[in-house]
Amino acid sequence: TMRRPYLRLLVLSFSAPAALSYSATKNRRAFLTSAAAAPAAALLTPLPGLAFENRLDDKYADATPQVGTQPTDLGVSSRPSKSAGSYTGLAPCPKSPNCWCSSPPSADNLARYLPAWKGGSIADVKKVIDTYEVGQNGIDGGGYKIIEYDEKKQYIYVQFQSYKAGYVDDWELAFNPEKKLFDVRSASRLGMSDLGVNAKRLDYIGTRLEKEYGWVLERRKNGSLV
């Protein structure tokens, strides 16, 4: 009959799980129902790794996040400097006003510079990050994740995600033995303006380090860090 070629084509058109479900049942109606539902279920299931588990809620979890690309120049290394020839530390900020960094000499990019932080141990920072308030001050509702933590090297790298669009920012802190201070960097991957998100994140973490662990941070006349 004409039905058998049609069924063979239908089986080949769907995924392996759908074909297996057909072979496991003699009910043609059940097969067609399960096969039709498989693609829809795949579309409704969030892809792994696109949303952090500690986000505020799942309201926007099924939206496609604008994660961008993880920078390849993270971490501490020797870098060129416009004013000093070279320096060792975290990556400099780009020209876009969505980044703050204390590593490069201030003369390299004064508009994106903040002073390094004076504190006791990277373990203090880890404790603050572990208890970071997702959604504080209206930011980072998409949650966060510690990507790298090296207590021996005194380095920590964290990714933070925005609530609705899923933008990912990269946050780093590392001890600088030459300065005997901790260099810090917070940067957005996409866009130009960050609407003050990186500044709010730095202020939250810095303020808690001051109050809870006695760190000393240089602030501006208006009390802000940047």
Side-chain angles (χ1 to χ4, degrees):
T1 65
M2 294 299 293
R3 292 183 180 179
R4 291 182 179 177
Y6 169 75
L7 285 176
R8 291 196 186 96
L9 178 61
L10 186 61
V11 171
L12 293 174
S13 300
F14 289 100
S15 61
L20 289 174
S21 65
Y22 171 65
S23 62
T25 179
K26 295 181 180 180
N27 190 320
R28 185 167 67 91
R29 180 177 297 177
F31 161 68
L32 293 175
T33 301
S34 63
L43 292 175
L44 294 175
T45 303
L47 296 176
L50 296 183
F52 295 133
E53 295 180 356
N54 55 5
R55 62 181 290 113
L56 276 177
D57 52 48
D58 294 332
K59 186 175 182 180
Y60 300 99
D62 60 342
T64 302
Q66 308 298 313
V67 298
T69 302
Q70 179 175 315
T72 59
D73 58 351
L74 298 174
V76 176
S77 65
S78 179
R79 306 176 187 277
S81 167
K82 297 177 182 178
S83 62
S86 65
Y87 75 93
T88 299
L90 304 175
C93 286
K95 295 180 179 180
S96 55
N98 57 4
C99 170
W100 296 96
C101 185
S102 66
S103 274
S106 59
D108 283 6
N109 191 354
L110 185 59
R112 300 288 96 200
Y113 175 81
L114 80 158
W117 296 356
K118 183 179 181 180
S121 169
I122 194 75
D124 299 339
V125 183
K126 175 69 160 49
K127 292 174 184 176
V128 170
I129 298 298
D130 284 339
T131 55
Y132 187 87
E133 297 177 61
V134 173
Q136 62 87 16
N137 210 0
I139 69 170
D140 300 332
Y144 67 92
K145 183 178 181 179
I146 297 176
I147 305 300
E148 182 178 350
Y149 174 67
D150 192 322
E151 189 169 2
K152 185 177 181 180
K153 293 182 179 180
Q154 297 278 284
Y155 173 80
I156 186 170
Y157 165 44
V158 189
Q159 292 179 359
F160 292 89
Q161 190 169 43
S162 66
Y163 184 46
K164 294 182 179 180
Y167 293 113
V168 172
D169 294 345
D170 300 291
W171 190 92
E172 300 174 275
L173 185 140
F175 182 70
N176 187 319
E178 294 183 4
K179 298 179 181 178
K180 295 184 179 180
L181 299 170
F182 286 89
D183 278 325
V184 60
R185 184 179 190 271
S186 187
S188 300
R189 295 179 180 178
L190 301 174
M192 287 292 291
S193 174
D194 62 358
L195 302 178
V197 169
N198 287 288
K200 291 178 180 179
R201 183 182 305 117
L202 287 166
D203 188 72
Y204 172 89
I205 296 172
T207 298
R208 285 194 56 187
L209 287 171
E210 289 175 316
K211 293 181 177 180
E212 299 174 27
Y213 299 100
W215 283 45
V216 178
L217 279 60
E218 186 178 331
R219 292 181 175 271
R220 299 187 178 188
K221 292 181 179 180
N222 63 2
S224 67
L225 288 176
V226 295

